[in-house]
């Protein structure tokens, strides 16, 4: 085994940490999809970062970092749900374990982001603005409602519809991308 | 409520406890419900990722960093001593050991930064260095701060530090504008640049080497662009002076990685002679090709295939098929903001399975040639070189990685990069005029770097 204090090992760890930083938004998106609205998302992200640092030597540069990092993040979520007392507004540990068994290897990968960018252009400017307020500015739907002069429920419905439209469009786009790849 | 609506409502945090229990029951009993959950969660996660990355640089600080608004920043120096007294009880040697967040300054969480070559999760902390010590702080949004002791200050947030005493050099890349240094004599706000600050008591000297900074002194704003300097004593300044001296400040590390240096995505034969100018692949008989003979490009649409050891097909006198590309280090200096001190090449090699007579060796070289200070001229006289070789396996589905590094002398203007396949097993000419059975290179990239540098004052 390589000396963990050797310049090569230290550089490797630093490179792996750099990959974590680069992909942190993707890993955080995964955590948010399981713990929506929870302040513990950043704690779990931090714990994932620390575990990735400790296990960096197991990761081979050039292989799939996000898949490896998501595996660690999944483990951290499981651990967290087993050990901590959760809000009753979050899913319980039994269902979380079952959900994680069915979790895709990677969520929100580059192909999906590319498709999402194209699909967003099909939405009306007002819905695009609402999504920006919700996801970029982290505004609660109630605040968005006050801003656009709608009822909160209407904003929920609009966001929900926008996500359904985007989901269908992303599926169509990514299937199209796969088809054109296989033809070339 | 339909399952899709329930999952959306859960992800929006607006289900009651009873509704969450009902969702749990459905998810536990139905694999289709779980598949639907991940489908919808995937859209949420994609939106989270897209909008957060969209809100700043790719390495967005808005995800893990507590954001500070400008009003809080402007009042920072007033709060800082109080915050330090309340929050910081750490000893001198406990660099960045997390301290409780300062009231009104950091609301929650922490932020990632690199200190002493380790990425760490940090919170608001005291920042001190003794005379003669130097360190570097790197934030994930790319901001790099070189600190030269004696330093007395506070790290408050990824875009904010206070400095009561000390000399620092800062590089703020595009996308990370707004990095602020609060000093007793004034506040320095960066707008994407390189600059230096020297603070001692009631004296502040700020110098911008590239880009723009604003210095706010007692309510008056001094906008400094290009190369300029400003001196403030007792909250009084005689104004902005032209010119600046970067050597007088510590300089943070710098890194620049090429993108697409050796991708070979456009099919065609390489120019068949030594390169005559930078940024052109040229050399022995070789070509950029799409997937061929069971070998897929490692990334992208193409890869480089070595064909013959000379510039025309048919010869078998030599044993190496070589291609070169020249890099003008002045262009790299522009990217780094200073001279590159080190370069590291990475490349990936592959070959067909072939037979027992198939060659297995690849060779890479980073070199400097004699002459060529203004315009590049090919010279056979190599004045420095770093070389490495690699023996590839016979599995065409795997790519083998190779790296080679070179310390760059300050006198070198042009770097010559060489990649080659070597006839290490058999030097025979096959009937088709091709000396290599199927030997490929892909994803050649260079990483230039320069280390932390002390001030020359």
């Amino acid at each position: 085994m390589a000396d963990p204090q050797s310049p090569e090992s230290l550089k490797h760890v630093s490179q792996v940490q750099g990959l974590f930083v680069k992909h942190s938004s993707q890993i955080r998106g995964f955590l948010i999809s399981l713990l929506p609205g929870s302040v513990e998302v950043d704690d779990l992200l931090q714990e994932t970062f620390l575990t990735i640092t400790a296990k960096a030597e197991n990761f081979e540069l050039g292989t799939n970092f996000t898949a490896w990092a998501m595996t660690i993040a999944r483990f951290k979520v499981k651990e967290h749900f087993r050990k901590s007392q959760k809000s009753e507004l979050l899913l319980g540990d039994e269902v979380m374990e079952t959900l994680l068994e069915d979790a895709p290897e990677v969520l929100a990968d580059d192909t999906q982001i590319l498709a999402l960018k194209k699909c967003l252009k099909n939405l009306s400017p007002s819905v695009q603005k609402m999504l920006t307020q919700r996801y970029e500015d982290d505004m609660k739907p109630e605040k968005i409602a006050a801003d656009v002069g709608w009822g909160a429920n209407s904003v929920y419905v609009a966001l929900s519809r926008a996500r359904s439209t985007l989901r269908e469009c992303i599926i169509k786009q990514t299937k199209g991308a796969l088809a054109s790849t296989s033809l070339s | 409520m339909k399952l899709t609506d329930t999952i959306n409502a859960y992800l929006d945090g607006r289900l009651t406890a009873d509704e969450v229990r009902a969702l749990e029951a459905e998810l536990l009993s139905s694999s289709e419900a779980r598949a639907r959950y991940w489908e919808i969660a995937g859209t949420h996660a994609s939106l989270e990722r897209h909008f957060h990355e969209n809100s700043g640089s790719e390495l967005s600080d808005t995800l893990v960093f507590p954001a500070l608004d400008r009003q809080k920043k402007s009042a920072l120096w007033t709060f800082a001593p109080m915050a330090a007294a309340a929050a910081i009880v750490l000893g001198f040697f406990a660099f960045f050991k997390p301290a409780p967040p300062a009231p009104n300054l950091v609301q929650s969480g922490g932020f990632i930064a690199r200190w002493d070559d380790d990425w760490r999760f940090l919170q608001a902390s005291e920042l001190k260095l003794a005379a003669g010590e130097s360190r570097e702080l790197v934030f994930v949004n790319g901001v790099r701060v070189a600190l030269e002791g004696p330093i007395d200050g506070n790290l408050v947030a990824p875009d904010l530090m206070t400095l009561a005493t000390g000399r620092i050099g800062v590089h703020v890349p595009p996308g990370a504008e707004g990095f602020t240094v609060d000093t007793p004599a004034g506040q320095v706000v960066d707008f994407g640049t390189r600059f230096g600050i020297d603070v001692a008591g009631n004296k502040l000297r700020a110098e911008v080497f590239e880009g723009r900074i604003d210095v706010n002194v007692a309510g008056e704003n001094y906008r400094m662009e290009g190369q300029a300097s400003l001196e403030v004593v007792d909250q009084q300044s005689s104004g902005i002076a032209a010119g600046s001296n970067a050597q007088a400040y510590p300089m943070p590390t710098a890194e620049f990685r090429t993108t697409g240096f050796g991708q070979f995505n456009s099919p065609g034969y390489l120019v068949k002679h030594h390169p005559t100018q930078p940024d052109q692949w040229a050399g022995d008989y070789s070509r950029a090709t799409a997937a061929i003979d069971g070998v897929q490009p490692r990334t992208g649409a193409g890869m480089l295939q070595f064909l013959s050891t000379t510039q025309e097909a048919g010869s078998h006198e030599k044993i190496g098929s070589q291609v070169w590309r020249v890099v003008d280090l002045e262009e790299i200096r522009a990217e780094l903001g200073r001279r590159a001190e080190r370069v590291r090449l990475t490349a990936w090699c592959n070959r067909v399975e072939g037979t027992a007579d198939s060659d297995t060796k690849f060779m890479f070289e980073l070199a400097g040639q004699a002459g060529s200070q203004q315009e590049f001229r090919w010279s056979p006289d190599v004045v420095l070189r770093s070389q490495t070789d690699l023996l590839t396996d016979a599995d065409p589905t795997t790519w083998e990685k190779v790296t080679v590094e070179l310390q760059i002398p300050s006198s070198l203007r042009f770097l010559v990069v060489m990649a080659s396949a070597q006839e290490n097993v058999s030097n025979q000419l096959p009937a088709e005029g091709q000396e290599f059975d199927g030997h490929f290179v892909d994803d050649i990239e260079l990483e230039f770097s320069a280390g932390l540098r002390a001030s020359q004052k």
Side-chain angles (χ1 to χ4, degrees), chain A residues 21 25 33 45 88 91-92 99 102 108 110 134 156 163, chain B residues 8 12 14 21 24 34 37-38 49 53 63-64 140:
Chain A
V21 172
S25 60
S33 72
L45 190 69
E88 58 179 6
L91 297 171
L99 255 185
D102 292 347
D110 291 348
R134 164 76 173 78
Y156 279 122
R163 286 187 297 242
Chain B
N8 263 314
D12 274 335
R14 59 188 177 94
R21 301 290 86 76
E24 281 181 346
R34 294 194 291 277
Y37 182 93
W38 283 117
R49 180 182 166 191
E53 287 178 356
L63 291 176
V64 287
V140 292

PDB file of all heavy atoms in Angstrom, chain A residues 21 25 33 45 88 91-92 99 102 108 110 134 156 163, chain B residues 8 12 14 21 24 34 37-38 49 53 63-64 140:
ATOM      1  N   VAL A  21     -15.657  18.601  -4.865  1.00  0.00           N
ATOM      2  CA  VAL A  21     -16.087  19.999  -4.917  1.00  0.00           C
ATOM      3  C   VAL A  21     -16.767  20.282  -6.251  1.00  0.00           C
ATOM      4  O   VAL A  21     -17.822  20.908  -6.320  1.00  0.00           O
ATOM      5  CB  VAL A  21     -14.871  20.924  -4.697  1.00  0.00           C
ATOM      6  CG1 VAL A  21     -15.241  22.361  -4.947  1.00  0.00           C
ATOM      7  CG2 VAL A  21     -14.344  20.750  -3.280  1.00  0.00           C
ATOM      8  N   SER A  25     -22.696  19.888  -6.331  1.00  0.00           N
ATOM      9  CA  SER A  25     -24.093  20.266  -6.573  1.00  0.00           C
ATOM     10  C   SER A  25     -24.924  19.054  -6.972  1.00  0.00           C
ATOM     11  O   SER A  25     -26.098  18.945  -6.629  1.00  0.00           O
ATOM     12  CB  SER A  25     -24.180  21.355  -7.640  1.00  0.00           C
ATOM     13  OG  SER A  25     -23.637  20.902  -8.833  1.00  0.00           O
ATOM     14  N   SER A  33     -33.177  15.311  -2.672  1.00  0.00           N
ATOM     15  CA  SER A  33     -34.304  14.503  -3.157  1.00  0.00           C
ATOM     16  C   SER A  33     -34.776  13.512  -2.100  1.00  0.00           C
ATOM     17  O   SER A  33     -35.868  12.971  -2.203  1.00  0.00           O
ATOM     18  CB  SER A  33     -33.911  13.779  -4.444  1.00  0.00           C
ATOM     19  OG  SER A  33     -33.008  12.738  -4.143  1.00  0.00           O
ATOM     20  N   LEU A  45     -23.734  16.338   3.437  1.00  0.00           N
ATOM     21  CA  LEU A  45     -22.766  16.646   2.379  1.00  0.00           C
ATOM     22  C   LEU A  45     -21.362  16.709   2.978  1.00  0.00           C
ATOM     23  O   LEU A  45     -20.405  16.190   2.418  1.00  0.00           O
ATOM     24  CB  LEU A  45     -23.132  17.982   1.721  1.00  0.00           C
ATOM     25  CG  LEU A  45     -22.368  18.335   0.453  1.00  0.00           C
ATOM     26  CD1 LEU A  45     -22.748  17.407  -0.701  1.00  0.00           C
ATOM     27  CD2 LEU A  45     -22.626  19.775   0.035  1.00  0.00           C
ATOM     28  N   GLU A  88     -41.029  14.190  11.611  1.00  0.00           N
ATOM     29  CA  GLU A  88     -42.125  13.323  11.153  1.00  0.00           C
ATOM     30  C   GLU A  88     -42.614  13.725   9.763  1.00  0.00           C
ATOM     31  O   GLU A  88     -43.418  13.040   9.158  1.00  0.00           O
ATOM     32  CB  GLU A  88     -43.273  13.351  12.157  1.00  0.00           C
ATOM     33  CG  GLU A  88     -43.827  14.740  12.389  1.00  0.00           C
ATOM     34  CD  GLU A  88     -44.992  14.731  13.383  1.00  0.00           C
ATOM     35  OE1 GLU A  88     -45.284  13.687  13.968  1.00  0.00           O
ATOM     36  OE2 GLU A  88     -45.594  15.805  13.539  1.00  0.00           O
ATOM     37  N   LEU A  91     -39.636  10.979   5.298  1.00  0.00           N
ATOM     38  CA  LEU A  91     -39.864   9.537   5.215  1.00  0.00           C
ATOM     39  C   LEU A  91     -39.071   8.830   6.311  1.00  0.00           C
ATOM     40  O   LEU A  91     -37.978   9.260   6.682  1.00  0.00           O
ATOM     41  CB  LEU A  91     -39.425   9.021   3.839  1.00  0.00           C
ATOM     42  CG  LEU A  91     -40.199   9.578   2.634  1.00  0.00           C
ATOM     43  CD1 LEU A  91     -39.528   9.164   1.332  1.00  0.00           C
ATOM     44  CD2 LEU A  91     -41.647   9.084   2.650  1.00  0.00           C
ATOM     45  N   GLY A  92     -39.610   7.715   6.793  1.00  0.00           N
ATOM     46  CA  GLY A  92     -38.961   6.972   7.877  1.00  0.00           C
ATOM     47  C   GLY A  92     -37.816   6.112   7.373  1.00  0.00           C
ATOM     48  O   GLY A  92     -37.599   5.980   6.158  1.00  0.00           O
ATOM     49  N   LEU A  99     -36.223   2.534  -0.494  1.00  0.00           N
ATOM     50  CA  LEU A  99     -36.068   3.468  -1.620  1.00  0.00           C
ATOM     51  C   LEU A  99     -34.630   3.468  -2.143  1.00  0.00           C
ATOM     52  O   LEU A  99     -34.394   3.474  -3.346  1.00  0.00           O
ATOM     53  CB  LEU A  99     -36.396   4.884  -1.142  1.00  0.00           C
ATOM     54  CG  LEU A  99     -37.717   5.531  -1.536  1.00  0.00           C
ATOM     55  CD1 LEU A  99     -37.743   6.961  -1.032  1.00  0.00           C
ATOM     56  CD2 LEU A  99     -37.968   5.492  -3.029  1.00  0.00           C
ATOM     57  N   ASP A 102     -33.551   0.895  -4.546  1.00  0.00           N
ATOM     58  CA  ASP A 102     -33.999   1.111  -5.928  1.00  0.00           C
ATOM     59  C   ASP A 102     -33.419   2.381  -6.547  1.00  0.00           C
ATOM     60  O   ASP A 102     -33.798   2.755  -7.665  1.00  0.00           O
ATOM     61  CB  ASP A 102     -35.543   1.233  -5.963  1.00  0.00           C
ATOM     62  CG  ASP A 102     -36.207  -0.084  -5.622  1.00  0.00           C
ATOM     63  OD1 ASP A 102     -35.505  -1.104  -5.613  1.00  0.00           O
ATOM     64  OD2 ASP A 102     -37.422  -0.092  -5.354  1.00  0.00           O
ATOM     65  N   ALA A 108     -29.406  13.134 -11.822  1.00  0.00           N
ATOM     66  CA  ALA A 108     -29.071  14.445 -12.392  1.00  0.00           C
ATOM     67  C   ALA A 108     -27.698  14.439 -13.055  1.00  0.00           C
ATOM     68  O   ALA A 108     -26.848  15.271 -12.747  1.00  0.00           O
ATOM     69  CB  ALA A 108     -29.137  15.524 -11.322  1.00  0.00           C
ATOM     70  N   ASP A 110     -24.925  14.511 -16.381  1.00  0.00           N
ATOM     71  CA  ASP A 110     -24.694  15.551 -17.393  1.00  0.00           C
ATOM     72  C   ASP A 110     -25.689  15.461 -18.552  1.00  0.00           C
ATOM     73  O   ASP A 110     -26.124  16.484 -19.092  1.00  0.00           O
ATOM     74  CB  ASP A 110     -23.256  15.442 -17.942  1.00  0.00           C
ATOM     75  CG  ASP A 110     -22.231  15.824 -16.896  1.00  0.00           C
ATOM     76  OD1 ASP A 110     -22.642  16.382 -15.854  1.00  0.00           O
ATOM     77  OD2 ASP A 110     -21.038  15.558 -17.103  1.00  0.00           O
ATOM     78  N   ARG A 134     -37.646  29.512  -7.345  1.00  0.00           N
ATOM     79  CA  ARG A 134     -37.742  28.341  -6.451  1.00  0.00           C
ATOM     80  C   ARG A 134     -36.380  27.677  -6.252  1.00  0.00           C
ATOM     81  O   ARG A 134     -35.986  27.332  -5.137  1.00  0.00           O
ATOM     82  CB  ARG A 134     -38.735  27.347  -7.055  1.00  0.00           C
ATOM     83  CG  ARG A 134     -38.708  25.934  -6.503  1.00  0.00           C
ATOM     84  CD  ARG A 134     -39.366  25.815  -5.143  1.00  0.00           C
ATOM     85  NE  ARG A 134     -39.463  24.428  -4.726  1.00  0.00           N
ATOM     86  CZ  ARG A 134     -38.465  23.712  -4.236  1.00  0.00           C
ATOM     87  NH1 ARG A 134     -37.277  24.256  -4.094  1.00  0.00           N
ATOM     88  NH2 ARG A 134     -38.634  22.456  -3.887  1.00  0.00           N
ATOM     89  N   TYR A 156     -47.892  26.271  -6.461  1.00  0.00           N
ATOM     90  CA  TYR A 156     -47.578  24.844  -6.332  1.00  0.00           C
ATOM     91  C   TYR A 156     -47.996  24.082  -7.584  1.00  0.00           C
ATOM     92  O   TYR A 156     -47.240  23.265  -8.111  1.00  0.00           O
ATOM     93  CB  TYR A 156     -48.312  24.247  -5.120  1.00  0.00           C
ATOM     94  CG  TYR A 156     -47.626  24.504  -3.802  1.00  0.00           C
ATOM     95  CD1 TYR A 156     -48.275  25.162  -2.765  1.00  0.00           C
ATOM     96  CD2 TYR A 156     -46.318  24.058  -3.591  1.00  0.00           C
ATOM     97  CE1 TYR A 156     -47.646  25.393  -1.556  1.00  0.00           C
ATOM     98  CE2 TYR A 156     -45.677  24.289  -2.379  1.00  0.00           C
ATOM     99  CZ  TYR A 156     -46.347  24.955  -1.364  1.00  0.00           C
ATOM    100  OH  TYR A 156     -45.705  25.178  -0.177  1.00  0.00           O
ATOM    101  N   ARG A 163     -42.667  20.816 -13.699  1.00  0.00           N
ATOM    102  CA  ARG A 163     -41.758  19.681 -13.481  1.00  0.00           C
ATOM    103  C   ARG A 163     -42.210  18.454 -14.269  1.00  0.00           C
ATOM    104  O   ARG A 163     -41.378  17.711 -14.799  1.00  0.00           O
ATOM    105  CB  ARG A 163     -41.651  19.382 -11.986  1.00  0.00           C
ATOM    106  CG  ARG A 163     -40.800  20.423 -11.258  1.00  0.00           C
ATOM    107  CD  ARG A 163     -40.543  20.044  -9.826  1.00  0.00           C
ATOM    108  NE  ARG A 163     -41.753  19.977  -9.049  1.00  0.00           N
ATOM    109  CZ  ARG A 163     -42.015  20.752  -7.980  1.00  0.00           C
ATOM    110  NH1 ARG A 163     -41.138  21.645  -7.582  1.00  0.00           N
ATOM    111  NH2 ARG A 163     -43.138  20.618  -7.316  1.00  0.00           N
TER     112      ARG A 163
ATOM    113  N   ASN B   8     -44.496  15.056  -5.497  1.00  0.00           N
ATOM    114  CA  ASN B   8     -44.124  16.460  -5.710  1.00  0.00           C
ATOM    115  C   ASN B   8     -44.339  17.271  -4.444  1.00  0.00           C
ATOM    116  O   ASN B   8     -43.498  18.099  -4.068  1.00  0.00           O
ATOM    117  CB  ASN B   8     -44.954  17.055  -6.843  1.00  0.00           C
ATOM    118  CG  ASN B   8     -44.196  17.023  -8.160  1.00  0.00           C
ATOM    119  OD1 ASN B   8     -43.027  17.382  -8.204  1.00  0.00           O
ATOM    120  ND2 ASN B   8     -44.852  16.582  -9.211  1.00  0.00           N
ATOM    121  N   ASP B  12     -41.667  19.220  -2.128  1.00  0.00           N
ATOM    122  CA  ASP B  12     -41.832  20.657  -1.850  1.00  0.00           C
ATOM    123  C   ASP B  12     -42.006  20.913  -0.356  1.00  0.00           C
ATOM    124  O   ASP B  12     -42.178  22.058   0.072  1.00  0.00           O
ATOM    125  CB  ASP B  12     -43.059  21.201  -2.596  1.00  0.00           C
ATOM    126  CG  ASP B  12     -42.714  21.611  -4.023  1.00  0.00           C
ATOM    127  OD1 ASP B  12     -41.535  21.914  -4.267  1.00  0.00           O
ATOM    128  OD2 ASP B  12     -43.613  21.616  -4.874  1.00  0.00           O
ATOM    129  N   ARG B  14     -44.566  20.023   1.664  1.00  0.00           N
ATOM    130  CA  ARG B  14     -45.884  20.503   2.087  1.00  0.00           C
ATOM    131  C   ARG B  14     -46.875  19.373   2.353  1.00  0.00           C
ATOM    132  O   ARG B  14     -48.075  19.562   2.256  1.00  0.00           O
ATOM    133  CB  ARG B  14     -46.446  21.513   1.073  1.00  0.00           C
ATOM    134  CG  ARG B  14     -46.601  20.982  -0.313  1.00  0.00           C
ATOM    135  CD  ARG B  14     -46.966  22.085  -1.294  1.00  0.00           C
ATOM    136  NE  ARG B  14     -47.033  21.564  -2.631  1.00  0.00           N
ATOM    137  CZ  ARG B  14     -48.148  21.140  -3.212  1.00  0.00           C
ATOM    138  NH1 ARG B  14     -49.294  21.180  -2.589  1.00  0.00           N
ATOM    139  NH2 ARG B  14     -48.109  20.665  -4.435  1.00  0.00           N
ATOM    140  N   ARG B  21     -46.983   9.522   6.109  1.00  0.00           N
ATOM    141  CA  ARG B  21     -47.138   8.096   6.490  1.00  0.00           C
ATOM    142  C   ARG B  21     -47.839   7.335   5.361  1.00  0.00           C
ATOM    143  O   ARG B  21     -47.500   6.198   5.055  1.00  0.00           O
ATOM    144  CB  ARG B  21     -47.936   7.948   7.790  1.00  0.00           C
ATOM    145  CG  ARG B  21     -47.350   8.662   9.032  1.00  0.00           C
ATOM    146  CD  ARG B  21     -46.068   8.011   9.540  1.00  0.00           C
ATOM    147  NE  ARG B  21     -44.867   8.467   8.890  1.00  0.00           N
ATOM    148  CZ  ARG B  21     -44.253   9.650   9.116  1.00  0.00           C
ATOM    149  NH1 ARG B  21     -44.735  10.523   9.969  1.00  0.00           N
ATOM    150  NH2 ARG B  21     -43.148   9.937   8.485  1.00  0.00           N
ATOM    151  N   GLU B  24     -45.405   6.736   2.651  1.00  0.00           N
ATOM    152  CA  GLU B  24     -44.486   5.657   3.065  1.00  0.00           C
ATOM    153  C   GLU B  24     -45.096   4.292   2.753  1.00  0.00           C
ATOM    154  O   GLU B  24     -44.419   3.405   2.208  1.00  0.00           O
ATOM    155  CB  GLU B  24     -44.227   5.730   4.578  1.00  0.00           C
ATOM    156  CG  GLU B  24     -43.212   6.786   4.959  1.00  0.00           C
ATOM    157  CD  GLU B  24     -42.967   6.814   6.462  1.00  0.00           C
ATOM    158  OE1 GLU B  24     -43.766   6.218   7.219  1.00  0.00           O
ATOM    159  OE2 GLU B  24     -41.991   7.441   6.871  1.00  0.00           O
ATOM    160  N   ARG B  34     -41.986   3.386  -6.158  1.00  0.00           N
ATOM    161  CA  ARG B  34     -40.589   3.778  -5.894  1.00  0.00           C
ATOM    162  C   ARG B  34     -39.909   4.268  -7.177  1.00  0.00           C
ATOM    163  O   ARG B  34     -39.150   5.226  -7.165  1.00  0.00           O
ATOM    164  CB  ARG B  34     -39.820   2.610  -5.266  1.00  0.00           C
ATOM    165  CG  ARG B  34     -40.306   2.237  -3.876  1.00  0.00           C
ATOM    166  CD  ARG B  34     -39.329   1.336  -3.156  1.00  0.00           C
ATOM    167  NE  ARG B  34     -39.226  -0.004  -3.703  1.00  0.00           N
ATOM    168  CZ  ARG B  34     -40.063  -1.013  -3.430  1.00  0.00           C
ATOM    169  NH1 ARG B  34     -41.069  -0.817  -2.585  1.00  0.00           N
ATOM    170  NH2 ARG B  34     -39.890  -2.200  -3.962  1.00  0.00           N
ATOM    171  N   TYR B  37     -41.069   7.640  -7.751  1.00  0.00           N
ATOM    172  CA  TYR B  37     -40.417   8.575  -6.814  1.00  0.00           C
ATOM    173  C   TYR B  37     -39.068   9.034  -7.394  1.00  0.00           C
ATOM    174  O   TYR B  37     -38.763  10.230  -7.438  1.00  0.00           O
ATOM    175  CB  TYR B  37     -40.190   7.900  -5.450  1.00  0.00           C
ATOM    176  CG  TYR B  37     -39.572   8.842  -4.434  1.00  0.00           C
ATOM    177  CD1 TYR B  37     -40.370   9.583  -3.560  1.00  0.00           C
ATOM    178  CD2 TYR B  37     -38.190   9.039  -4.374  1.00  0.00           C
ATOM    179  CE1 TYR B  37     -39.811  10.466  -2.651  1.00  0.00           C
ATOM    180  CE2 TYR B  37     -37.623   9.923  -3.478  1.00  0.00           C
ATOM    181  CZ  TYR B  37     -38.434  10.633  -2.614  1.00  0.00           C
ATOM    182  OH  TYR B  37     -37.876  11.519  -1.723  1.00  0.00           O
ATOM    183  N   TRP B  38     -38.274   8.058  -7.855  1.00  0.00           N
ATOM    184  CA  TRP B  38     -36.943   8.422  -8.340  1.00  0.00           C
ATOM    185  C   TRP B  38     -37.014   9.233  -9.630  1.00  0.00           C
ATOM    186  O   TRP B  38     -36.161  10.081  -9.885  1.00  0.00           O
ATOM    187  CB  TRP B  38     -36.079   7.164  -8.531  1.00  0.00           C
ATOM    188  CG  TRP B  38     -35.584   6.671  -7.209  1.00  0.00           C
ATOM    189  CD1 TRP B  38     -35.850   5.483  -6.606  1.00  0.00           C
ATOM    190  CD2 TRP B  38     -34.729   7.387  -6.288  1.00  0.00           C
ATOM    191  NE1 TRP B  38     -35.234   5.393  -5.378  1.00  0.00           N
ATOM    192  CE2 TRP B  38     -34.541   6.553  -5.157  1.00  0.00           C
ATOM    193  CE3 TRP B  38     -34.117   8.632  -6.295  1.00  0.00           C
ATOM    194  CZ2 TRP B  38     -33.770   6.939  -4.064  1.00  0.00           C
ATOM    195  CZ3 TRP B  38     -33.348   9.023  -5.203  1.00  0.00           C
ATOM    196  CH2 TRP B  38     -33.180   8.176  -4.105  1.00  0.00           C
ATOM    197  N   ARG B  49     -29.480  21.120  -9.336  1.00  0.00           N
ATOM    198  CA  ARG B  49     -28.110  21.196  -9.857  1.00  0.00           C
ATOM    199  C   ARG B  49     -27.983  22.301 -10.897  1.00  0.00           C
ATOM    200  O   ARG B  49     -27.077  23.123 -10.831  1.00  0.00           O
ATOM    201  CB  ARG B  49     -27.713  19.841 -10.462  1.00  0.00           C
ATOM    202  CG  ARG B  49     -26.306  19.862 -11.009  1.00  0.00           C
ATOM    203  CD  ARG B  49     -25.880  18.567 -11.661  1.00  0.00           C
ATOM    204  NE  ARG B  49     -24.662  18.824 -12.427  1.00  0.00           N
ATOM    205  CZ  ARG B  49     -24.122  17.993 -13.281  1.00  0.00           C
ATOM    206  NH1 ARG B  49     -24.650  16.804 -13.483  1.00  0.00           N
ATOM    207  NH2 ARG B  49     -23.017  18.303 -13.933  1.00  0.00           N
ATOM    208  N   GLU B  53     -25.701  25.630 -10.288  1.00  0.00           N
ATOM    209  CA  GLU B  53     -24.500  25.816 -11.104  1.00  0.00           C
ATOM    210  C   GLU B  53     -24.648  27.048 -11.975  1.00  0.00           C
ATOM    211  O   GLU B  53     -23.688  27.734 -12.288  1.00  0.00           O
ATOM    212  CB  GLU B  53     -24.251  24.572 -11.964  1.00  0.00           C
ATOM    213  CG  GLU B  53     -23.740  23.415 -11.122  1.00  0.00           C
ATOM    214  CD  GLU B  53     -23.521  22.143 -11.918  1.00  0.00           C
ATOM    215  OE1 GLU B  53     -23.833  22.122 -13.110  1.00  0.00           O
ATOM    216  OE2 GLU B  53     -23.049  21.176 -11.315  1.00  0.00           O
ATOM    217  N   LEU B  63     -24.016  26.649  -2.954  1.00  0.00           N
ATOM    218  CA  LEU B  63     -24.573  25.400  -2.458  1.00  0.00           C
ATOM    219  C   LEU B  63     -24.192  25.124  -1.025  1.00  0.00           C
ATOM    220  O   LEU B  63     -25.017  24.724  -0.223  1.00  0.00           O
ATOM    221  CB  LEU B  63     -24.074  24.242  -3.327  1.00  0.00           C
ATOM    222  CG  LEU B  63     -24.629  24.255  -4.725  1.00  0.00           C
ATOM    223  CD1 LEU B  63     -23.999  23.152  -5.525  1.00  0.00           C
ATOM    224  CD2 LEU B  63     -26.126  24.074  -4.670  1.00  0.00           C
ATOM    225  N   VAL B  64     -22.977  25.308  -0.720  1.00  0.00           N
ATOM    226  CA  VAL B  64     -22.537  24.935   0.614  1.00  0.00           C
ATOM    227  C   VAL B  64     -22.107  26.133   1.438  1.00  0.00           C
ATOM    228  O   VAL B  64     -21.800  26.001   2.599  1.00  0.00           O
ATOM    229  CB  VAL B  64     -21.365  23.939   0.545  1.00  0.00           C
ATOM    230  CG1 VAL B  64     -21.861  22.582   0.120  1.00  0.00           C
ATOM    231  CG2 VAL B  64     -20.303  24.428  -0.396  1.00  0.00           C
ATOM    232  N   VAL B 140     -13.474  27.090  -3.250  1.00  0.00           N
ATOM    233  CA  VAL B 140     -13.892  26.275  -4.395  1.00  0.00           C
ATOM    234  C   VAL B 140     -14.348  27.102  -5.584  1.00  0.00           C
ATOM    235  O   VAL B 140     -14.428  26.596  -6.695  1.00  0.00           O
ATOM    236  CB  VAL B 140     -15.005  25.276  -4.023  1.00  0.00           C
ATOM    237  CG1 VAL B 140     -14.499  24.210  -3.105  1.00  0.00           C
ATOM    238  CG2 VAL B 140     -16.189  25.986  -3.443  1.00  0.00           C
TER     239      VAL B 140
END
